[in-house]
Amino acid sequence: MQTKTENGTKRDLNRENILKIAREIFSKYGYKKTTLDDIANAVRKGKSSLYYYFASKEDLFQAVIMKEVEILARELEIVINRNTDPVDKLRDYILTKLATFRNLANFYHAIENDVTAVEFIEEVKRRYEQDEIRMIKRILIEGVRKNEFEIYDFNLAAIGITTAIKGLEMPLSAGNYGSVNLERSVDIILKIMCYGIIKK
Amino acid sequence: MQTKTENGTKRDLNRENILKIAREIFSKYGYKKTTLDDIANAVRKGKSSLYYYFASKEDLFQAVIMKEVEILARELEIVINRNTDPVDKLRDYILTKLATFRNLANFYHAIENDVTAVEFIEEVKRRYEQDEIRMIKRILIEGVRKNEFEIYDFNLAAIGITTAIKGLEMPLSAGNYGSVNLERSVDIILKIMCYGIIKK
DNA sequence: TAATTTTTCGACTAAAAAAGCCGAAATAAA
DNA sequence: TTTATTTCGGCTTTTTTAGTCGAAAAATTA
């Protein structure tokens, strides 16, 4: 018998392959227009075989998105661990997140017509919120330690900032991408927040 | 009452608009994945309204393709009427046709998976064949008049050349685009044909 | 080799989506 | 007002798709 780990690896490899291909197809056609047969053909398996790896189409799609989200998370982790000025860090964090999120939304045609996809992505955002708050908190704590911020309740502050970021995301989700100058909006909000935060 | 022509114009304008938008959507998703609702939404009409202008989805798709084909035909007409050396003209004709056809096939995802679309395009090719033979014949006749070609049966010669062109199209339809150097293939075939055609 | 486990798939069903139809309503023109 | 044009909601029929199941195939182990 294979050891369980070896076995798991083999299976996971297949899974990964399906995910990779499914990602391409979903990103090309969106959730609704992509059929499991499309994916099955592309991975050269029968449709039924997909169910050996994933419980449902929805499940597969979520797995694909989750993988994307992990990439985003990793990028953000890097930003956070860079040794930069806390304000810059905040700025980079927000910009990185917005940029990647825009891609996500674009990718899955979440916006135009595909209601189901939108809901998934909303769901992901919701689940991610707690992580976000934690990350922001880390930045704030670091800022205080470096004697640049002056904050009494980290939790509340982090929640407040998270909310502000949501505001920045809105125009993205709403679909008028190009029209908004992201960087500019971010700087404006940052300025406002800073004058309430930075030690005088 | 509107005059019949005015009326026709208005209706045709609507038709044209539908065609234009349908073309975009078909080219994005392919025949199968495009639904009449997609198109109807895009033109801001009810799906039923489309049936006022087109008899069926197939009908609409064919109209879209026909329009593309007309564009091709117009380009070829221009090539034919240019005052160039007959051999060059033959060469330009073939290259222009292949280039445009490649676009068509690419566009409608005719190749990958979408069986129905492939059939349509094959059908179009078939219908176009007669025109093609006629056009080639014109080039040949001109060549003889200019004392560069020596041909006894224009019809047979034109059919032969048309067949050769079909051979050039094959790798396109088969899907291995990049791999083949079109221009080179054309020149080789042309050379072969010329040494059987050109007056010594 | 035989027994066991993993993986694949064809055939099927139920549910959803799409094409297509029709009559009536809205709109525009006369 | 009358007539012609255009739109569309709601309906039926057909097609497509997600998802199930059991059995076959392939791989693994003993």
Side-chain angles (χ1 to χ4, degrees):
Chain A
M1 222 229 302
Q2 292 176 307
T3 68
K4 275 191 182 163
T5 37
E6 263 169 357
N7 203 323
T9 304
K10 216 164 209 173
R11 205 186 148 131
D12 287 353
L13 241 63
N14 260 330
R15 248 186 84 105
E16 284 304 309
N17 185 241
I18 294 175
L19 280 177
K20 199 187 81 191
I21 290 179
R23 178 189 167 279
E24 283 170 24
I25 302 182
F26 276 131
S27 78
K28 190 167 176 187
Y29 295 117
Y31 178 76
K32 206 173 156 200
K33 280 189 188 298
T34 299
T35 71
L36 289 182
D37 271 313
D38 290 339
I39 297 171
N41 288 336
V43 297
R44 296 179 170 280
K45 286 197 193 308
K47 182 182 59 165
S48 315
S49 303
L50 295 183
Y51 284 89
Y52 182 66
Y53 298 94
F54 299 92
S56 65
K57 181 182 178 186
E58 205 170 306
D59 187 44
L60 172 53
F61 184 70
Q62 295 203 344
V64 169
I65 293 223
M66 276 315 169
K67 229 180 134 188
E68 297 284 301
V69 170
E70 274 164 35
I71 293 170
L72 168 58
R74 230 168 295 138
E75 282 186 49
L76 291 180
E77 197 66 34
I78 291 171
V79 168
I80 279 208
N81 288 326
R82 270 210 294 256
N83 198 12
T84 50
D85 178 76
V87 177
D88 287 344
K89 195 171 277 188
L90 212 47
R91 185 169 183 271
D92 286 352
Y93 178 94
I94 296 173
L95 282 176
T96 305
K97 194 194 163 197
L98 290 184
T100 319
F101 234 102
R102 163 151 58 184
N103 280 348
L104 239 191
N106 260 343
F107 243 45
Y108 293 99
H109 304 188
I111 292 132
E112 38 171 344
N113 61 51
D114 208 326
V115 193
T116 332
V118 178
E119 272 164 20
F120 285 157
I121 292 190
E122 291 300 321
E123 173 61 25
V124 171
K125 279 189 188 175
R126 227 168 297 139
R127 259 190 276 173
Y128 184 68
E129 207 171 289
Q130 293 310 313
D131 286 334
E132 174 135 311
I133 291 176
R134 231 168 289 132
M135 281 180 155
I136 298 288
K137 219 158 111 185
R138 274 170 63 188
I139 300 181
L140 296 184
I141 291 175
E142 190 190 344
V144 170
R145 195 161 33 71
K146 286 191 175 174
N147 219 29
E148 286 206 47
F149 293 164
E150 188 172 68
I151 295 169
Y152 297 109
D153 186 327
F154 287 116
N155 250 329
L156 281 185
I159 290 173
I161 291 176
T162 307
T163 307
I165 293 178
K166 249 189 266 171
L168 288 166
E169 277 168 16
M170 268 202 41
L172 294 183
S173 303
N176 39 346
Y177 313 30
S179 59
V180 194
N181 185 334
L182 264 190
E183 203 149 340
R184 200 173 155 64
S185 306
V186 171
D187 282 337
I188 291 171
I189 288 215
L190 263 183
K191 196 167 249 174
I192 293 171
M193 294 197 299
C194 285
Y195 281 105
I197 277 175
I198 283 188
K199 206 173 208 170
K200 283 128 210 164
Chain B
M1 221 231 304
Q2 291 177 309
T3 67
K4 274 190 183 165
T5 37
E6 264 171 356
N7 202 322
T9 304
K10 215 166 210 173
R11 204 186 150 132
D12 287 354
L13 240 64
N14 259 331
R15 247 186 85 104
E16 285 304 310
N17 184 241
I18 294 174
L19 280 176
K20 200 186 81 192
I21 290 179
R23 178 188 167 283
E24 283 171 25
I25 301 182
F26 276 130
S27 78
K28 190 167 175 187
Y29 295 117
Y31 178 75
K32 206 172 157 203
K33 281 190 188 298
T34 299
T35 72
L36 289 183
D37 271 314
D38 289 339
I39 297 171
N41 289 336
V43 296
R44 295 178 171 282
K45 288 198 193 306
K47 181 182 57 165
S48 314
S49 303
L50 295 183
Y51 284 91
Y52 182 65
Y53 297 95
F54 300 92
S56 65
K57 181 183 177 184
E58 205 171 306
D59 187 44
L60 171 53
F61 183 71
Q62 294 202 344
V64 169
I65 292 222
M66 276 314 169
K67 228 179 135 189
E68 297 284 302
V69 170
E70 275 166 35
I71 293 170
L72 169 57
R74 229 169 295 139
E75 281 186 50
L76 290 179
E77 196 66 34
I78 291 171
V79 168
I80 280 208
N81 289 326
R82 270 209 295 255
N83 198 12
T84 50
D85 177 76
V87 177
D88 286 344
K89 195 172 276 189
L90 213 47
R91 185 169 185 272
D92 286 352
Y93 178 93
I94 296 173
L95 282 176
T96 306
K97 194 195 163 198
L98 290 184
T100 319
F101 235 102
R102 164 150 58 184
N103 279 348
L104 238 191
N106 259 344
F107 243 45
Y108 293 100
H109 305 186
I111 293 133
E112 37 171 344
N113 60 52
D114 207 325
V115 194
T116 333
V118 179
E119 274 165 19
F120 284 157
I121 292 191
E122 291 300 322
E123 172 61 25
V124 170
K125 279 189 189 175
R126 228 167 296 140
R127 258 191 276 173
Y128 183 69
E129 206 171 289
Q130 293 310 313
D131 287 333
E132 173 136 310
I133 292 176
R134 230 168 290 133
M135 281 180 155
I136 298 287
K137 221 159 108 184
R138 273 171 62 189
I139 299 182
L140 296 183
I141 292 175
E142 191 191 343
V144 170
R145 195 163 31 74
K146 287 191 174 171
N147 218 29
E148 286 206 47
F149 292 166
E150 188 171 69
I151 295 169
Y152 298 107
D153 187 328
F154 287 116
N155 251 329
L156 282 185
I159 289 173
I161 292 177
T162 308
T163 307
I165 294 177
K166 248 188 265 169
L168 288 166
E169 276 169 16
M170 268 202 41
L172 293 185
S173 303
N176 40 345
Y177 313 31
S179 59
V180 194
N181 185 334
L182 263 190
E183 203 148 342
R184 199 172 156 64
S185 307
V186 172
D187 282 336
I188 291 171
I189 288 216
L190 263 183
K191 194 167 250 175
I192 294 171
M193 294 195 300
C194 286
Y195 281 106
I197 276 175
I198 282 188
K199 205 172 207 169
K200 282 127 212 164

